[in-house]
């Protein structure tokens, strides 16, 4: 469904573009239809950049991106715009996705109005349907973002991303800014929506525990490079690369495993 | 006599819309070598508690109850004495490292600030003391580091600098407010190791929503919800056999437990329901819960729970 081939991204600075910083180096990935691929790494590893390159929100310096068989890297602006409704993104900070001066209803309806010829009544119906899908009360339709909690805003951002029924969704640290129980609400919602719509998802996070329960396969990034791609269960059971092993060990430290998998790791005091 | 003794602490905020109770009847005590985690989500009151101990709440806050530190009633102290306590006796590691450091001052000036002000020594003398501390924090090339500015450091390094600043005066009580929030996995791992090592002979109050760090650093845990402590006890016991429905819900909502969300939302201060504050979201609510506010009860001598299920 999605294929990244030899993607590199560098930024140059300096008067004659002498200084070059490579943020992503020769990254290749494939995501199958209906699959959720996790992209994990620490700050600065390039995962967010790679996520945005997948949607051509950032242009790669080198390499190709294939979406459902089409090479989107070489598409013109007009042709690319036709594909855009099929691929969407949810960001970590819902405040950047939601216009603070628009009501939630208008924010969610906006993509519908831009892309489709609907009457306002039809669009409103779709929005109410979407609010139900993400578990928000219909009254929130006419509220503004500042009146909503973090979790509610993130659900609204998700509703907006789903408005055009995309086949591919990039979720970039969608719950990092949320409390534990709110995170649970938003993540289970995301899981449910992915399943019911058979969406292909690229899930970017630095939280290994979240990656573990949300993804089918995981790609580990470090310093701009993909160092390991494995089935999620296999990666956690026996991480291959030493860096991955370091991450998994550190993530397990003090983790509270509930139920059957009680690891009992971590020391007290 | 306990090092830190908090009794019936209540914090109310005055606002144009009326008074809002943010913290209600909190009792906590700590000795040197003790460690307690205050765990809760946004609106639980845990940060307000930390700020109340340090007397750093805004002017519209009304603080009632008792906060005793080393036998002293902190509320009775004048500003200079309280400043001395904040400098040298109680160290607070604040939440956001990027915001907590002065962006226009080199690191050296900031880490030595409390030493210079508190002990009256010179800048140069303070730097000598601090160099060893920075080295122990794992900050490389310390001579050069002193001259650098916060923005030249990574997030993890800034956190260590903050810890160094707090430890410079060797406080007896460390209050760490969300020290692992937003940190990468490996940096978090290092921070936990650092805090564990540095708090060995001191008292540690850890304010966090990261259950894992509470598990690693603290012998005791107090779970807060809607401004109150709803459960407390030895960390291992509370996390493996939670008694309060909120604690149970929180543990069931972590990813490895299956992401079972607690329905509804935490009430914001000022909108707490009558009776038990968790009743609207509780899976085992009785009629009694909606009208009668449950007191904290002692179970088995070491655990406290605020829930009508237990008598």
């Amino acid at each position: 469904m999605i294929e990244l081939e030899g993607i590199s991204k560098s930024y140059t600075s300096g008067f004659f573009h002498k200084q070059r910083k490579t943020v992503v180096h020769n990254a290749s990935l494939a995501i199958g239809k209906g699959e959720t691929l996790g992209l994990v790494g620490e700050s600065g590893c390039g995962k967010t950049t790679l996520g945005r390159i997948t949607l051509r929100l950032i242009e790669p310096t080198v390499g190709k991106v294939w979406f459902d068989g089409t090479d989107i890297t070489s598409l013109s602006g007009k042709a690319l715009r036709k594909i855009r409704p099929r691929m969407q993104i949810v960001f970590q900070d819902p405040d950047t996705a939601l216009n603070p001066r628009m009501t939630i209803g208008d924010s969610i309806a906006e993509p519908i109005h831009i892309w489709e010829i609907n009457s306002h009544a039809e669009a409103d119906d779709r929005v109410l349907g979407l609010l139900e899908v993400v578990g928000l009360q219909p009254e929130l339709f006419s509220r503004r973002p500042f009146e909503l909690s973090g979790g509610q805003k993130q659900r609204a951002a998700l509703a907006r991303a789903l408005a055009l029924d995309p086949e591919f969704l990039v979720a970039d640290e969608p719950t990092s800014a949320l409390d534990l129980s709110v995170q649970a609400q938003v993540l289970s919602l995301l899981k449910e929506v992915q399943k019911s719509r058979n969406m292909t998802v690229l899930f970017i996070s630095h939280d290994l525990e979240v990656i573990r329960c949300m993804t089918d396969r995981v790609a580990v990034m470090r310093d701009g490079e993909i160092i390991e791609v494995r089935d999620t269960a296999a990666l956690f059971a026996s991480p291959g690369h030493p860096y991955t092993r370091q991450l998994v060990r550190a993530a397990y430290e003090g983790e509270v495993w509930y139920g059957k998998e009680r690891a009992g790791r971590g020391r007290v005091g | 006599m306990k090092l830190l003794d908090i009794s019936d602490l209540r914090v109310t905020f005055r606002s144009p819309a009326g008074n809002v109770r943010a913290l209600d009847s909190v009792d906590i005590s700590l000795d040197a070598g003790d460690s307690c985690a205050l765990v809760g989500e946004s609106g639980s009151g845990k940060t307000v508690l930390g700020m109340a101990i340090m007397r750093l709440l805004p002017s519209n806050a009304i603080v009632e109850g008792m906060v005793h530190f080393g036998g002293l009633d902190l509320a009775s102290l004048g500003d200079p004495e309280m400043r001395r306590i904040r400098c040298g006796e109680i160290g607070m590691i604040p939440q956001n490292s990027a915001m907590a450091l002065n962006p226009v001052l080199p690191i050296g000036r900031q880490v030595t600030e409390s030493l210079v002000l508190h002990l009256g020594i010179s800048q140069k003398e303070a730097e000598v003391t601090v160099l060893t501390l920075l080295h122990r924090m794992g900050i490389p090339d310390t001579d050069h580091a002193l001259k650098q500015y916060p923005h030249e450091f990574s997030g993890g390094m800034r956190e260590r600098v903050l810890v160094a600043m707090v430890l410079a005066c060797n406080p007896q009580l460390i209050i760490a407010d969300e020290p692992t929030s937003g940190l990468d996995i490996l940096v978090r791992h290092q921070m936990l190791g650092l805090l564990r090592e540095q708090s060995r002979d001191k008292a540690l109050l850890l304010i966090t929503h990261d259950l894992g760090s509470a598990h690693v650093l603290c012998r005791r845990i107090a779970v807060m919800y809607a401004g109150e402590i709803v459960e407390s006890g030895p960390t291992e016991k509370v996390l493996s056999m939670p008694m309060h429905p909120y604690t149970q819900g929180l543990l069931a909502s972590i990813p490895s437990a299956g992401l079972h969300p607690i329905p509804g939302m935490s009430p914001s201060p000022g909108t707490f329901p009558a009776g038990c504050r968790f009743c609207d979201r509780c899976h085992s609510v009785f009629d009694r819960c909606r009208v009668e506010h449950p007191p904290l009860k002692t179970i088995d001598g070491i655990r406290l729970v605020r829930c009508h299920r237990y008598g």
Side-chain angles (χ1 to χ4, degrees), chain B residues 89-217:
Chain B
E89 314 282 333
I90 308 180
M92 185 162 190
I93 303 171
Q95 233 183 84
N96 196 328
S97 68
M99 305 240 286
L101 292 170
N102 187 327
V104 300
L105 285 183
I107 296 293
R109 282 278 304 275
Q110 302 192 52
V111 184
T112 52
E113 188 178 36
S114 52
L115 282 175
V116 168
L117 287 173
H118 179 45
L119 299 178
I121 55 180
S122 77
Q123 176 68 20
K124 279 270 168 270
E125 286 170 306
E127 276 179 16
V128 168
T129 314
V130 150
L131 277 175
T132 334
L133 192 55
L134 287 178
H135 190 71
R136 260 168 49 207
M137 298 285 133
I139 293 175
D141 197 11
T142 44
D143 280 325
H144 181 55
L146 286 182
K147 302 192 187 76
Q148 288 185 295
Y149 290 85
H151 70 264
E152 298 181 82
F153 281 72
S154 69
M157 282 295 164
R158 280 198 295 262
E159 282 294 337
R160 289 173 208 238
V161 167
L162 272 181
V163 175
M165 271 172 79
V166 166
L167 294 179
C169 285
N170 204 23
Q172 297 176 65
L173 167 66
I174 301 174
I175 303 178
D177 191 352
E178 303 280 9
T180 57
S181 170
L183 292 185
D184 284 330
I185 305 167
L186 294 181
V187 178
R188 173 181 171 273
H189 174 77
Q190 286 164 346
M191 175 58 76
L192 289 180
L194 188 62
L195 283 175
R196 186 169 40 216
E197 188 201 303
Q198 298 298 330
S199 65
R200 239 184 266 279
D201 52 349
K202 307 188 196 318
L204 173 69
L205 188 64
L206 175 70
I207 301 173
T208 187
H209 63 254
D210 174 358
L211 295 177
S213 61
H215 194 204
V216 167
L217 294 175

Side-chain angles (χ1 to χ4, degrees), chain A residues 106-268:
Chain A
D106 285 340
S107 273
I108 300 173
E110 194 183 27
I112 303 175
H113 287 306
I114 294 174
W115 286 102
E116 300 175 20
I117 320 232
N118 285 78
S119 69
H120 273 276
E122 283 168 344
D124 284 353
D125 273 339
R126 291 253 303 263
V127 172
L128 286 172
L130 285 164
L131 285 176
E132 207 183 313
V133 165
V134 302
L136 288 177
Q137 297 97 322
E139 304 86 76
L140 297 182
F141 186 104
S142 43
R143 301 264 173 86
R144 291 202 155 68
F146 74 85
E147 299 177 77
L148 270 60
S149 71
Q152 286 175 322
K153 279 189 287 212
Q154 201 58 310
R155 287 171 193 254
L158 183 59
R160 185 182 148 100
L162 295 175
L164 296 174
D165 229 339
E167 296 159 60
F168 176 52
L169 183 72
V170 175
D172 190 353
E173 307 266 15
T175 55
S176 302
L178 304 175
D179 276 331
L180 261 182
S181 59
V182 180
Q183 173 177 264
Q185 288 174 346
V186 174
L187 288 181
S188 10
L189 170 63
L190 195 53
K191 251 189 166 171
E192 211 182 284
V193 162
Q194 186 275 327
K195 217 162 142 198
S196 64
R197 293 164 181 235
N198 199 32
M199 271 192 326
T200 307
V201 177
L202 178 63
F203 194 100
I204 304 173
S205 178
H206 69 264
D207 187 331
L208 276 184
E209 216 194 347
V210 167
I211 288 271
R212 186 180 187 172
C213 72
M214 293 296 293
T215 62
D216 304 311
R217 279 189 314 139
V218 192
V220 181
M221 270 187 95
R222 182 176 69 165
D223 293 331
E225 295 189 344
I226 295 181
I227 57 167
E228 191 167 1
V229 186
R230 302 267 296 282
D231 274 349
T232 308
L235 187 108
F236 280 87
S238 52
H241 197 281
Y243 176 70
T244 316
R245 256 182 270 140
Q246 223 187 340
L247 284 183
V248 171
R249 234 199 333 256
Y252 273 9
E253 187 202 20
E255 283 309 334
V256 181
W257 300 99
Y258 190 74
K260 296 182 209 144
E261 258 194 271
R262 185 128 179 83
R265 278 177 242 227
R267 286 136 288 165
V268 167

Side-chain angles (χ1 to χ4, degrees), chain A residues 256 258 262, chain B residues 37 39 211 214-215 219-224 230-244 246-248 250-251 302-305:
Chain A
V256 181
Y258 190 74
R262 185 128 179 83
Chain B
V39 161
L211 295 177
H215 194 204
R219 278 203 192 92
R220 284 187 291 138
I221 189 171
V223 181
M224 293 191 68
V230 296
E231 180 163 7
S232 71
T235 313
E236 190 70 48
K237 286 224 151 48
V238 171
L239 293 182
S240 59
M241 288 180 301
M243 295 175 82
H244 194 281
Y246 172 64
T247 318
Q248 291 169 345
L250 204 57
L251 286 165
I302 46 165
R303 298 188 60 170
L304 293 172
V305 197

